[in-house]
Amino acid sequence: MNLHRILRLMKKELIQIRRDRRILAFLFVVPVVQLFLFGYAVSTDVNHVAMAVLDEDRTAESRALIRRFTASGYFDQVAYLSGQREIDALLDAGRAALVLRVPRGFGHALARGRGAEIQTILDGADSRMARVIAGYTNGVLRVYGGEIVQTRAPRARLPAVDGRVRVWYNPELKSVYFMVPGVLCMVLFLITMLMTALAIVREREIGTLEQLVVTPLSAGELMLGKTLPFLLIGLIEIVLTLLTAILIFRVEVAGSIPLLFALSALFLMTSLGLGIFISTISKTQHEATLSSFLCFMPFILLSGFIFPVENMPAAIQGVTYLIPLRYFLEIVRGIFLRGVGMDVLWPQVIALAVFGIAILSLAAARFSKRLG
Amino acid sequence: MTDIAIEIQGLRKTYGELVALAGLSLAVARGEVFALLGPDGAGKTTTMRLLAGILAPSGGSARVLGLDVFRQAEGLKRRIGYMPQRFALYGDLTVAENLRFFASIYGVPRAERLAREAELLEFSRLGPFRDRLAMYLSGGMKQKLALACTLMHSPEVLFLDEPTAGVDPVSRREFWRILYRLAGQGVTLFLSTPYMDEAERCARVAMLDRGGLALCGTPGELKAGLRGAILEVIAEPPREAKARLAALPGVRDVHIFGERLHVWLETPDAEATVAAALDGLTLIALRRIAPGLEDVFNALAAGEGEA
């Protein structure tokens, strides 16, 4: 190992990156665009649910209930129906996600102090959204029911379980808080893996790799010289993502930022290792890009970035343990949202270190073999 | 031993069933300018790549500067230079940056590097372009820069695989001027070339055929070794003339060089027969000429090279 040679190779690499406008754009625009996409456009928050109302009761009580819904802020009343036949057409056309039907006799039953029923019909096509809407609906009804009991029977001591949910870590349940750490992981992963693979394959494609083989440069020096610049760039990407998240999205980082950097560097062993590995199986930059995305998709889907791991079938959950990105995501979310440190994150850190060392050494062995 | 730069014995390279090199033996003296000739697929590039240490051999041995190419590669790498057929430069680096990069990879000290850089820029006449990105150089300039890159660490032996392929004649001449200067400094040049006029400039030439050595010697020796005689014929129309001559008894082969025909005769006294065969065509010239390497090469390709 000759440090001077590695540094020269790194310097050459950085000069080349600096001169390539497309790569610069990729490095500095992608993280910001991804943050905006996942922060705003791909918001998983449910607001302004289109609600249709079928009030067959037409009493003060039924109108009070409907007002509860519209005043909650979650529901927008988009239609007032006059008969049950209209429900189908409305849901089919997707003009409403929720139909609230108050049957005749609702107000009368309440006035008599008896239990009253209403019907809510949900469009379950988007199951996740339907679950959220059902939750909101129950919330509105629970508050309304509680108040009726209070006004009708102020002194009654009802044996009831009063469950109140308090959300910690992200009290406003804004998906952007949840997404920012994810985007950071995704951007870091994609950019470092893809760029490393491309940087090596490009030299193979234009023939300079063969040139380097003739020089005294060893496989190890070559590999370090080609990957260390991207380690540096990876860390710059984190700074960039953090700045955007903090300055534009007003996301606060609950935990230690130095720890975030240290563990990101640990994760980079995995992504740089995968990049080197992909470079050994790709002849052209085109192939390297395709291979990177082939690797990227399952990593993203199975890491819990978009779909929570807990919602996956048991067999698939087992597979997620083989996805290093999963651990990194847990670490970043832990530091970002919960402000936890090594005392909590150590199992993930160990898993990440094991994967990182394994992937990097496998890739390095393959790289040296292919070169020799 | 010390005056031998390259010594190859029974060098073999096979790719499965395909035999790229079938036991090649050669010796090149220090400071010699040595050329490998042969048709495509004869094993020229394979030989170059083996000697440069990029390929592992399937058999045989090779020593360069007294060191085993395959076992002492690390010590050897600093002392040799290799310029592949398609030398790849970093197009997005400038001329000076390319030179500097290769110098630093070879661990050339700064002071020596600067001196070498100035010297190479000067004699390759790339000085005015030192800050130009390599991708914006002309083909000939790129080739000179490639050579300069392989010379930054002052190699003692230089392997050049078709260094002037696809380069214009003026640049080729200039390239050779540089090569001669190197040879004058004692650098051993081992090159392959598709151009016979370039081969004529070399001290010794080896002709490869189907992975083996067909002929080896000075250009003069090879030409003298050609059996029979060469007639140069200029006649109109040349194609018709070629067809008629090829069918003549005593004519072993006919090749077209531009407007001229080279007729390879088995016996020197067949000139009259040739003139008679061209009766009815416009005969502009007919004369005995000394064979060139091209003729030796063509004879070899026709399977009759062994003199």
Side-chain angles (χ1 to χ4, degrees), chain B residues 77-132:
Chain B
K77 278 180 172 181
R78 286 161 211 286
R79 300 174 61 190
I80 62 168
Y82 167 57
M83 184 171 147
Q85 225 168 55
R86 221 185 99 225
F87 187 96
L89 295 154
Y90 294 101
D92 46 0
L93 296 186
T94 65
V95 168
E97 283 167 345
N98 268 293
L99 291 175
R100 206 165 301 161
F101 175 70
F102 281 100
S104 63
I105 292 301
Y106 279 99
V108 179
R110 189 183 145 80
E112 196 185 320
R113 190 202 80 208
L114 290 175
R116 190 77 179 150
E117 192 180 304
E119 180 196 349
L120 287 172
L121 282 177
E122 201 268 319
F123 90 63
S124 63
R125 296 183 187 158
L126 283 170
F129 308 101
R130 66 189 305 280
D131 293 319
R132 185 181 285 196

Side-chain angles (χ1 to χ4, degrees), chain B residues 230-292:
Chain B
I230 301 292
L231 275 188
E232 186 182 74
V233 175
I234 305 177
E236 282 296 331
R239 291 196 172 278
E240 170 67 18
K242 180 180 190 254
R244 287 197 196 178
L245 294 177
L248 275 186
V251 171
R252 302 183 76 156
D253 213 352
V254 182
H255 276 91
I256 298 191
F257 294 90
E259 55 170 3
R260 292 164 299 144
L261 296 179
H262 279 198
V263 185
W264 181 24
L265 300 175
E266 223 161 298
T267 45
D269 52 356
E271 276 175 57
T273 342
V274 168
L278 295 173
D279 194 31
L281 303 180
T282 324
L283 185 62
I284 301 161
L286 188 153
R287 61 170 184 260
R288 268 287 289 279
I289 54 164

Side-chain angles (χ1 to χ4, degrees), chain B residues 83-262:
Chain B
M83 184 171 147
Q85 225 168 55
R86 221 185 99 225
F87 187 96
L89 295 154
Y90 294 101
D92 46 0
L93 296 186
T94 65
V95 168
E97 283 167 345
N98 268 293
L99 291 175
R100 206 165 301 161
F101 175 70
F102 281 100
S104 63
I105 292 301
Y106 279 99
V108 179
R110 189 183 145 80
E112 196 185 320
R113 190 202 80 208
L114 290 175
R116 190 77 179 150
E117 192 180 304
E119 180 196 349
L120 287 172
L121 282 177
E122 201 268 319
F123 90 63
S124 63
R125 296 183 187 158
L126 283 170
F129 308 101
R130 66 189 305 280
D131 293 319
R132 185 181 285 196
L133 292 185
M135 67 175 118
Y136 299 127
L137 294 177
S138 72
M141 285 201 279
K142 272 185 192 159
Q143 213 62 9
K144 283 191 290 181
L145 175 57
L147 180 63
C149 284
T150 54
L151 293 175
M152 278 306 281
H153 63 292
S154 314
E156 295 163 60
V157 177
L158 192 55
F159 297 99
L160 303 146
D161 194 1
E162 302 200 356
T164 56
V167 173
D168 68 88
V170 177
S171 301
R172 264 176 65 194
R173 210 176 312 133
E174 202 182 341
F175 199 88
W176 271 92
R177 187 177 55 79
I178 301 173
L179 292 186
Y180 277 136
R181 188 170 152 161
L182 287 171
Q185 292 168 348
V187 177
T188 309
L189 298 176
F190 188 87
L191 57 101
S192 70
T193 176
Y195 302 114
M196 294 305 147
D197 60 319
E198 288 191 349
E200 304 257 12
R201 295 164 180 257
C202 297
R204 277 198 309 141
V205 170
M207 286 199 182
L208 298 190
D209 190 29
R210 277 156 290 191
L213 186 67
L215 286 171
C216 186
T218 66
E221 285 167 1
L222 295 194
K223 287 183 283 193
L226 187 76
R227 280 180 303 178
I230 301 292
L231 275 188
E232 186 182 74
V233 175
I234 305 177
E236 282 296 331
R239 291 196 172 278
E240 170 67 18
K242 180 180 190 254
R244 287 197 196 178
L245 294 177
L248 275 186
V251 171
R252 302 183 76 156
D253 213 352
V254 182
H255 276 91
I256 298 191
F257 294 90
E259 55 170 3
R260 292 164 299 144
L261 296 179
H262 279 198

Side-chain angles (χ1 to χ4, degrees), chain B residues 35-52:
Chain B
L36 278 186
L37 298 177
D40 284 342
K44 300 189 299 283
T45 297
T46 305
T47 309
M48 289 279 173
R49 288 166 60 89
L50 282 165
L51 291 176

